[in-house]
Amino acid sequence: MRVTKSILIKRAFFGVFWVLATIGFICDEFIPEVESVRTYIMLACDAMLALLGLLCLRHRTDILFIFSLALISFGSSVVFNGLSPFFAANGMRVFIGLMFCYPIFRYFMDDAQRREHFIKTLDKNLEIFLWLQVPCIAFQFIAYGADDHVGGSLGNWYSGTISMLIYIISFYLMHKRIDQRDFAGSIINNFKYVLLLTPTFFNETKISFVLLVIYFILLMPLDKRIYKRAIISLPILVVLFALGYSTYKITYKGDVSSTTDEIDIFSEDYLVEYVLSDVEKAEEDVEWSLDNDETGVADLGRLTKFLLLPMFEEDNPGHIPLGFGVGHFKGGTKMDHSEFYDHYEWYLIGTMPYLIHIYLQLGVVGLLLFLGYLVSLFFRHPDGCSIRDMNLQIFMALLIGMNLFYAESLRDPFFAIIIYGFVACSWLPDENSEEEELAVRS
């Protein structure tokens, strides 16, 4: 077989895919010696994604967005905030997935033949990734208990990210196999994808309960028979929900046999405490936790972080338009943290909603640019693919929305690969396009 440009790009892409998908678990559990070079491996993956993205660039909107984001980042960091170009360049790595993943998928989706081969390979690799999470999460659960260490093949501290990935990948593979004429039969015949959701119940990610409900609602075709299908799905949903809730009733502390404090994660007190810390004592509480090596409880509630945003303008007037520059969320390994990070470490550590992640670095200008580009992805379809997969697009929109207000997984290149890849795959081939493909093959 002749090795073409598209084949080389596809092989390089899936090479990066699997390095990003497994390097965390390998370094954490099996080859800790690799940890010393992990930063360089991640840097190489970032560079490869950027190179592949540049090779695949075809559309003016993507080119304009990449150029604008780079320009704003340089202007905010070097010109406006006086950061070094090297520090800013390293900080731009948190936007590699945002800038270059979607153009790679558009390259494959724009051509019928490339699309067919690429999607088949993608689906196979995604299914292998799902199965891989079973032994990885089982190992982590036994070793550490149900906490942030249970991040599957992505490694420690990726519990939220892996749970979201498991749900959306399982949904993508299951949804493609749903026959509207035999919904119940489709569920039964492909029940393995539902069972592959089980690992998400063995870490401390609360958002899994929300994703579980969304999963089964959107699995059903959105037509007049949805109520009948809902009745079919309800028993499965109830069983899985009960299974997940039972694992959350106990707080594990390093050992799976530890059964200390029972908690009710649906109680009003727990939910309020989870999203809203004491605003007045936020800095004091986090500093105390850091001083006493209790980093696990040093994370502020998400709502608290939004409520404290005016603090940055009060302390540093004039940064609303362009933010404080990029790079403050990098460093700590091969490069020192910035002065900004050192001053506001108590606020910046822990889970950061992605809206805040972008706003603090690039201000309102960068935030508007990002949101505008994100919205455009749901209206700019690949060539020959103008039919919306409404179920997948709704799930993607909800998942992206959750990240904007709940987490910063979108900065992770592997998460970005899946998210922007599925947005591209949510556009289905036109009927005329499919007929033309069949005619060419015959």
Side-chain angles (χ1 to χ4, degrees):
M1 181 179 66
R2 186 169 63 92
V3 179
T4 62
K5 174 185 174 181
S6 64
I7 292 176
L8 288 174
I9 292 176
K10 184 173 74 170
R11 289 176 179 175
F13 172 78
F14 282 106
V16 174
F17 176 100
W18 281 111
V19 172
L20 292 174
T22 58
I23 186 65
F25 187 83
I26 291 172
C27 288
D28 293 338
E29 309 300 344
F30 292 121
I31 314 178
E33 294 79 12
V34 179
E35 184 65 34
S36 60
V37 296
R38 183 174 178 177
T39 298
Y40 300 109
I41 295 174
M42 298 301 292
L43 178 61
C45 288
D46 289 343
M48 182 58 72
L49 278 179
L51 176 61
L52 293 176
L54 291 172
L55 289 173
C56 294
L57 268 179
R58 294 292 185 277
H59 300 275
R60 281 178 292 183
T61 302
D62 296 325
I63 296 172
L64 180 63
F65 171 72
I66 292 172
F67 176 79
S68 300
L69 185 60
L71 183 63
I72 293 173
S73 298
F74 180 84
S76 171
S77 305
V78 179
V79 179
F80 185 63
N81 286 288
L83 301 172
S84 74
F86 183 73
F87 185 86
N90 185 61
M92 279 291 292
R93 289 174 54 200
V94 298
F95 298 123
I96 289 293
L98 169 63
M99 298 169 73
F100 297 109
C101 284
Y102 190 73
I104 296 173
F105 280 88
R106 274 298 300 264
Y107 169 77
F108 287 103
M109 296 294 291
D110 281 340
D111 179 88
Q113 188 174 9
R114 288 201 300 259
R115 181 173 64 241
E116 180 185 13
H117 293 299
F118 181 79
I119 293 299
K120 286 181 179 179
T121 306
L122 177 66
D123 290 0
K124 290 178 181 178
N125 282 272
L126 289 174
E127 182 156 346
I128 294 171
F129 177 80
L130 272 187
W131 282 106
L132 181 61
Q133 303 320 305
V134 176
C136 288
I137 288 180
F139 178 92
Q140 292 162 331
F141 178 71
I142 293 171
Y144 308 112
D147 62 14
D148 283 335
H149 289 285
V150 186
S153 64
L154 302 183
N156 290 341
W157 315 116
Y158 281 88
S159 60
T161 301
I162 197 63
S163 291
M164 287 186 282
L165 286 175
I166 289 173
Y167 272 95
I168 191 58
I169 293 173
S170 171
F171 177 85
Y172 166 80
L173 295 172
M174 181 68 143
H175 175 58
K176 296 180 74 170
R177 292 161 174 77
I178 293 293
D179 184 349
Q180 295 189 24
R181 296 164 298 181
D182 186 16
F183 180 74
S186 299
I187 294 289
I188 294 172
N189 293 335
N190 299 281
F191 199 71
K192 64 180 179 180
Y193 297 116
V194 177
L195 290 178
L196 286 170
L197 299 176
T198 307
T200 64
F201 299 144
F202 293 91
N203 59 34
E204 54 79 58
T205 309
K206 290 82 177 173
I207 201 172
S208 294
F209 291 96
V210 178
L211 293 171
L212 181 63
V213 175
I214 295 173
Y215 180 99
F216 278 98
I217 291 176
L218 291 179
L219 203 56
M220 298 178 285
L222 302 177
D223 56 26
K224 60 184 179 181
R225 301 177 62 188
I226 190 172
Y227 299 105
K228 179 180 178 180
R229 297 184 180 111
I231 295 174
I232 296 173
S233 299
L234 186 60
I236 302 173
L237 177 60
V238 170
V239 171
L240 290 175
F241 201 91
L243 174 63
Y245 180 67
S246 65
T247 65
Y248 274 81
K249 290 181 67 177
I250 297 176
T251 300
Y252 293 92
K253 296 185 177 180
D255 189 296
V256 71
S257 63
S258 175
T259 58
T260 53
D261 303 317
E262 289 195 1
I263 56 175
D264 183 0
I265 64 170
F266 296 111
S267 68
E268 181 179 352
D269 291 342
Y270 179 84
L271 292 174
V272 170
E273 182 179 355
Y274 180 66
V275 300
L276 182 62
S277 311
D278 188 333
V279 177
E280 297 296 329
K281 298 175 60 179
E283 181 176 1
E284 178 185 342
D285 289 343
V286 174
E287 293 285 4
W288 183 91
S289 299
L290 292 174
D291 291 340
N292 290 274
D293 295 324
E294 294 188 19
T295 55
V297 295
D299 193 3
L300 292 174
R302 273 65 159 186
L303 182 56
T304 303
K305 291 196 172 184
F306 279 101
L307 293 175
L308 287 171
L309 275 180
M311 165 191 66
F312 292 97
E313 180 63 17
E314 294 172 4
D315 295 348
N316 312 274
H319 286 266
I320 290 179
L322 291 174
F324 294 89
V326 299
H328 306 299
F329 292 93
K330 301 293 289 183
T333 52
K334 303 299 181 182
M335 183 180 294
D336 292 335
H337 285 298
S338 65
E339 292 183 10
F340 178 83
Y341 181 92
D342 291 336
H343 185 69
Y344 292 106
E345 180 183 10
W346 63 271
Y347 179 94
L348 300 175
I349 63 171
T351 304
M352 182 68 65
Y354 199 59
L355 281 178
I356 299 177
H357 176 85
I358 293 180
Y359 169 75
L360 287 180
Q361 296 182 91
L362 301 178
V364 172
V365 175
L367 191 58
L368 291 177
L369 175 67
F370 162 71
L371 292 175
Y373 179 71
L374 198 61
V375 171
S376 77
L377 300 185
F378 290 90
F379 292 92
R380 295 189 299 116
H381 59 80
D383 297 340
C385 299
S386 62
I387 300 175
R388 294 177 183 272
D389 184 334
M390 190 60 70
N391 296 63
L392 183 57
Q393 287 201 351
I394 291 175
F395 202 142
M396 295 309 304
L398 291 173
L399 190 59
I400 291 172
M402 290 176 187
N403 274 271
L404 295 181
F405 293 95
Y406 178 80
E408 55 184 331
S409 296
L410 281 167
R411 66 174 282 189
D412 179 75
F414 185 78
F415 190 82
I417 285 173
I418 302 301
I419 295 302
Y420 296 115
F422 283 175
V423 171
C425 293
S426 70
W427 293 101
L428 304 177
D430 302 335
E431 294 182 2
N432 293 338
S433 175
E434 290 181 336
E435 292 174 359
E436 291 174 2
E437 289 178 40
L438 291 174
V440 171
R441 293 175 192 171
S442 60

